[in-house]
Amino acid sequence: MFNKILIANRGEIACRVIKTAKKMGIETVAVYSDADAQALHVQMADGAIHIGPPAANQSYIVIDKIMEAVKKSGAQAVHPGYGFLSENSKFAEALAAAGVAFVGPPVGAIEKMGDKITSKKIAQEAGVSTVPGYMGLIADADEAVKISNEVGYPVMLKASAGGGGKGMRIAWNDEEAREGFQSSKNEAANSFGDDRIFIEKFVTQPRHIEIQVLCDSHGNGIYLGERECSIQRRNQKVVEEAPSPFLDEATRKAMGEQSVALAQAVGYTSAGTVEFIVDGDKNFYFLEMNTRLQVEHPVTELITGVDLVEQMIRVANGEKLTITQDDVKLTGWAIENRLYAEDPYRGFLPSIGRLTRYRPPMEIAAGPLLDNDKWQGDAPSGNMAVRNDTGVYEGGEISMYYDPMIAKLCTWAPTRAEAIERMRVALDSFEVEGIGHNLPFLSAVMDHPIFVEGNMTTAFIEEQYPDGFDGVELPEADLRRIAAATAAMHRVGEIRRTRVSGRMDNHERKVGTAWNVAVQGHSFDVDIQADPKGATVTFDDGTSLRVAGDWTPGDQLAEMTVDDTPLVFKVGKISGGFRVRARGADMKVHVRSPRQAELARLMPEKLPPDTSKLLLCPMPGLVVKIDVEVGDEVQEGQNLCTIEAMKMENILRAEKKGKVSKINAAAGDSLAVDDVIIEFE
């Protein structure tokens, strides 16, 4: 076995590889850019080597710099993680020439299957059903428009060397094809150093389901079930689960066997993923093969008990698989939510800055499976009921230079319904402050009836949130539970305030039992009767809820029970009440005395400032170009400027007709959130 492995990556996946390597007794070496000098993966590794400036194309994807680090470290093997150089055949060749093992597939397999154009041709030759498209190289935007018309709109423009949603655009007309071609090329060049683009038919209402394969160099290959990855935004997966709630055993077997056959046809070794589009009739079409470890691999590990990173290392060491297809058992259900540094209230635009608070839910090991309190067997080996794969820490900084992923929160349970409920509680328990993040949106998805039923397609987010995400309006039953809990919490704070020392004589303050709770447009009159074990909160309609918990003023996470049912939410103090965040809702909860509530209803509503004549920067980023000049008349939907953040280009468009009166930024400028870019008359 190897004595030392270098991880040619950063962030969450570098930390993930380090954990398994340490478990195997293998020394690890990290690499880092200037921006990552204090990163978690650097702290976790046994050694670390600096490789250059923050930009990935000057550090993490520069083969010569990684090879220098390999030589300096004396590592016998390199694990590339995902992204960066993980599917770069030249990197694998350089390692082979240096006598260093690549923890991944052979060069030939990377070249054949890692390139999306070549892999589709191979799949077609092997008799695998593929989506119609044009697999040749596309010279320019004009040719992209011509091909798009031949294939038929809508089309998908995709980076040949791409992954992770980078370099991908959907075009519904000539203008979008022309615009998307250039943006895809730019993103592909910046992310992968390869700007080749191909075009394929975009299949509407598809499900994205992928098969995990594992092959060794001795001719053995197996598949470890599938992953449902249909909930995506801008072609970037957001929620994954295993198994899929859609597939039956016959379809799973057919997809799995076809995936293994395809992998073995190109001499594939290591872990890899074959991705499919599956229609409503369970017809499946080969999409691409990712010749690397997938971001969402934890859900497969949770239902099979197989450590995929360990298997990759063992295969790279020349070992045979010790697992046969008959050994693969899918037990229970696993769900993964990707926590991103992006603000759902601002159109999911990237957010950067310091994590002033980062407190994930506690990781919990899975116990024996129970049925009516009777032991039914064990969960998969080494399994976790709650697992959080992360590459950040409290006080660390989210950089503008890399992918915005903060963590991958996973839950496992014997059934899908239980895994979803466990995820709901875990999301509500996850504390992140200092940056915008998508925790509220993830919570909303977990409660959405389409997701709960398992009937989602890749169009889920686009169809269910066409105007973006503005938070969740909770049902009255949930609001009553929150009202009861916050009323009890307010009473605890009031009692504490009566005990403040230095009071004037004869000015003793008494805490009443009658309160009004206002939340999300609802007003609840309640009466609180407390005792040493909690409080009974009675509403004006005669119903009552029993509240218990050990929350004390100042705690930012409230872990309560309401009628013996857990209720977890983030809480902060505001004037006259609390800011509460739970189940995708961000609410101001005001707890007042009856007289205070009466007066509050008479207060005028404070209106937000008028910014209708300003183009504000929606996220921190770099100005790529300004498309208008002072004096220009602009039309609704017209391009105004392009902002680049976290390797993604974002085009800002006019929301209505207007005339440009002032431009406050130029190409190359770095902007903060809400900086004024353009002013209109």
Side-chain angles (χ1 to χ4, degrees), residues 65-235:
K65 291 189 175 183
I66 301 297
M67 293 306 299
E68 288 174 14
V70 172
K71 183 178 180 180
K72 183 177 180 180
S73 68
Q76 301 156 302
V78 172
H79 196 301
Y82 51 72
F84 293 149
L85 297 172
S86 61
E87 295 177 286
N88 190 307
S89 61
K90 293 180 180 178
F91 179 51
E93 286 176 350
L95 289 171
V100 177
F102 179 66
V103 185
V107 172
I110 296 175
E111 291 177 339
K112 293 173 183 175
M113 301 307 291
D115 184 293
K116 292 176 175 59
I117 293 175
T118 304
S119 68
K120 282 186 175 292
K121 291 179 178 177
I122 292 174
Q124 289 172 342
E125 292 169 0
V128 179
S129 175
T130 59
V131 179
Y134 180 81
M135 296 299 106
L137 296 180
I138 302 169
D140 52 33
D142 289 337
E143 187 178 3
V145 170
K146 179 183 176 183
I147 293 169
S148 297
N149 278 282
E150 292 172 353
V151 173
Y153 290 110
V155 299
M156 175 80 80
L157 296 95
K158 302 179 71 173
S160 179
K166 305 296 188 298
M168 299 175 68
R169 291 289 190 279
I170 297 173
W172 295 82
N173 53 50
D174 289 356
E175 182 181 350
E176 291 182 1
R178 187 181 303 279
E179 186 179 276
F181 175 77
Q182 193 57 53
S183 291
S184 294
K185 280 181 72 72
N186 293 346
E187 286 180 7
N190 291 335
S191 297
F192 314 108
D194 183 341
D195 68 354
R196 291 175 300 154
I197 300 297
F198 70 98
I199 294 175
E200 66 184 14
K201 180 73 174 177
F202 178 65
V203 180
T204 57
Q205 298 299 305
R207 297 181 79 112
H208 185 134
I209 299 176
E210 60 191 29
I211 300 291
Q212 176 70 59
V213 297
L214 185 60
C215 303
D216 63 22
S217 56
H218 303 276
N220 302 306
I222 60 174
Y223 64 93
L224 291 91
E226 81 282 359
R227 295 185 287 260
E228 171 81 55
C229 307
S230 294
I231 296 185
Q232 305 177 4
R233 192 189 63 77
R234 290 184 66 177
N235 307 303

Side-chain angles (χ1 to χ4, degrees), residues 510-586:
K510 294 184 178 181
V511 177
T513 63
W515 299 94
N516 175 271
V517 184
V519 53
Q520 282 198 339
H522 291 256
S523 179
F524 302 104
D525 291 320
V526 300
D527 182 84
I528 305 174
Q529 297 297 324
D531 57 67
K533 294 183 179 181
T536 299
V537 180
T538 303
F539 292 79
D540 56 0
D541 62 1
T543 61
S544 57
L545 295 171
R546 180 69 181 172
V547 179
D550 58 358
W551 180 86
T552 57
D555 290 349
Q556 296 186 41
L557 187 69
E559 297 177 283
M560 319 286 283
T561 61
V562 179
D563 276 1
D564 296 323
T565 302
L567 176 63
V568 179
F569 53 86
K570 272 85 75 175
V571 58
K573 193 72 181 73
I574 62 172
S575 178
F578 306 95
R579 178 192 178 192
V580 169
R581 286 169 289 172
R583 294 294 177 94
D586 192 336

Side-chain angles (χ1 to χ4, degrees), residues 286-307:
F286 173 75
L287 191 60
E288 63 189 27
M289 183 174 187
N290 289 310
T291 57
R292 54 170 168 81
L293 189 67
Q294 289 281 84
V295 174
E296 57 273 18
H297 74 274
V299 291
T300 295
E301 294 182 328
L302 290 174
I303 65 168
T304 63
V306 176
D307 185 328

Side-chain angles (χ1 to χ4, degrees), residues 302 332-335 337 361-370 379 383-387 409-430 443 446-447 566 568 583:
L302 290 174
W333 216 282
I335 295 174
N337 277 210
M362 182 181 297
E363 293 192 318
I364 304 171
L369 301 182
L370 299 176
N383 205 4
M384 304 292 291
V386 178
R387 167 176 166 175
L409 180 63
C410 305
T411 57
W412 175 92
T415 67
R416 185 172 187 266
E418 291 171 299
I420 292 173
E421 181 57 31
R422 186 167 279 167
M423 178 61 76
R424 290 168 178 153
V425 175
L427 288 169
D428 283 341
S429 305
F430 210 135
S443 291
M446 292 298 102
D447 277 335
V568 179
R583 294 294 177 94

Side-chain angles (χ1 to χ4, degrees), residues 180-499:
F181 175 77
Q182 193 57 53
S183 291
S184 294
K185 280 181 72 72
N186 293 346
E187 286 180 7
N190 291 335
S191 297
F192 314 108
D194 183 341
D195 68 354
R196 291 175 300 154
I197 300 297
F198 70 98
I199 294 175
E200 66 184 14
K201 180 73 174 177
F202 178 65
V203 180
T204 57
Q205 298 299 305
R207 297 181 79 112
H208 185 134
I209 299 176
E210 60 191 29
I211 300 291
Q212 176 70 59
V213 297
L214 185 60
C215 303
D216 63 22
S217 56
H218 303 276
N220 302 306
I222 60 174
Y223 64 93
L224 291 91
E226 81 282 359
R227 295 185 287 260
E228 171 81 55
C229 307
S230 294
I231 296 185
Q232 305 177 4
R233 192 189 63 77
R234 290 184 66 177
N235 307 303
Q236 179 97 3
K237 299 165 189 172
V238 178
V239 178
E240 301 100 349
E241 60 182 302
S244 167
F246 183 63
L247 291 192
D248 53 45
E249 188 55 45
T251 308
R252 175 179 296 115
K253 186 173 186 290
M255 293 174 70
E257 290 176 350
Q258 182 172 317
S259 298
V260 172
L262 187 61
Q264 292 185 323
V266 294
Y268 194 90
T269 64
S270 193
T273 299
V274 182
E275 301 195 349
F276 294 92
I277 287 178
V278 184
D279 68 20
D281 296 322
K282 296 187 173 66
N283 297 309
F284 54 90
Y285 305 93
F286 173 75
L287 191 60
E288 63 189 27
M289 183 174 187
N290 289 310
T291 57
R292 54 170 168 81
L293 189 67
Q294 289 281 84
V295 174
E296 57 273 18
H297 74 274
V299 291
T300 295
E301 294 182 328
L302 290 174
I303 65 168
T304 63
V306 176
D307 185 328
L308 290 170
V309 174
E310 178 181 350
Q311 294 300 318
M312 293 178 74
I313 293 172
R314 294 193 180 281
V315 168
N317 193 47
E319 298 179 23
K320 290 184 178 180
L321 291 180
T322 58
I323 310 164
T324 67
Q325 193 63 57
D326 290 340
D327 295 328
V328 178
K329 307 296 182 187
L330 307 185
T331 305
W333 216 282
I335 295 174
E336 174 180 293
N337 277 210
R338 298 191 190 188
L339 174 55
Y340 285 121
E342 56 186 23
D343 191 340
Y345 302 109
R346 289 177 174 265
F348 296 94
L349 291 170
S351 177
I352 62 174
R354 191 167 301 281
L355 287 165
T356 57
R357 190 173 183 87
Y358 180 74
R359 309 282 175 89
M362 182 181 297
E363 293 192 318
I364 304 171
L369 301 182
L370 299 176
D371 183 11
N372 295 325
D373 296 326
K374 295 181 180 179
W375 184 78
Q376 297 292 313
D378 291 325
S381 175
N383 205 4
M384 304 292 291
V386 178
R387 167 176 166 175
N388 189 56
D389 287 15
T390 189
V392 302
Y393 57 90
E394 188 167 297
E397 196 164 351
I398 302 298
S399 167
M400 67 179 288
Y401 297 102
Y402 310 114
D403 187 273
M405 186 188 295
I406 298 173
K408 301 182 313 196
L409 180 63
C410 305
T411 57
W412 175 92
T415 67
R416 185 172 187 266
E418 291 171 299
I420 292 173
E421 181 57 31
R422 186 167 279 167
M423 178 61 76
R424 290 168 178 153
V425 175
L427 288 169
D428 283 341
S429 305
F430 210 135
E431 299 179 74
V432 180
E433 303 291 347
I435 60 166
H437 55 77
N438 67 333
L439 276 173
F441 178 71
L442 296 174
S443 291
V445 171
M446 292 298 102
D447 277 335
H448 199 288
I450 290 178
F451 174 76
V452 173
E453 293 165 7
N455 293 328
M456 57 280 183
T457 71
T458 55
F460 171 83
I461 293 177
E462 178 184 334
E463 292 176 351
Q464 301 305 315
Y465 302 94
D467 300 320
F469 179 76
D470 295 321
V472 173
E473 291 290 327
L474 294 179
E476 184 175 343
D478 289 347
L479 293 178
R480 280 176 170 263
R481 285 163 48 80
I482 289 170
T486 51
M489 292 160 57
H490 181 77
R491 179 185 175 279
V492 170
E494 286 292 287
I495 290 174
R496 171 176 284 197
R497 284 184 279 274
T498 66
R499 296 171 180 168

